[in-house]
Amino acid sequence: MNRIKEIRKKQKVTQKELSKMTGISQSELSLIENGKKTCIVETAKKIAKALGFSVEHVWPD
């Protein structure tokens, strides 16, 4: 399972909620979570911040 999706589900946050928190469309989040789109640095920072983690924690590679 994708790390973003794993963290989001553990925090009981929906894609729709994460979309509102980050300003990233729900469809783009879905593509990122499913590995169909790579994430630029700014988007990664927004997602990590919204989930309360560092970018390194969300994307350990």
Side-chain angles (χ1 to χ4, degrees), residues 29-48:
L29 285 171
S30 178
L31 291 172
I32 293 167
E33 283 188 355
N34 291 303
K36 296 180 180 176
K37 181 175 182 174
T38 54
C39 198
I40 63 169
V41 174
E42 289 306 313
T43 302
K45 287 179 181 178
K46 288 179 185 178
I47 294 169

Side-chain angles (χ1 to χ4, degrees), residues 4 7 11 18 22 24 42-59:
I4 302 167
I7 294 168
Q11 293 186 2
L18 185 56
T22 60
I24 301 164
E42 289 306 313
T43 302
K45 287 179 181 178
K46 288 179 185 178
I47 294 169
K49 183 177 179 181
L51 294 173
F53 290 98
S54 68
V55 174
E56 293 79 14
H57 180 79
V58 179
W59 284 273

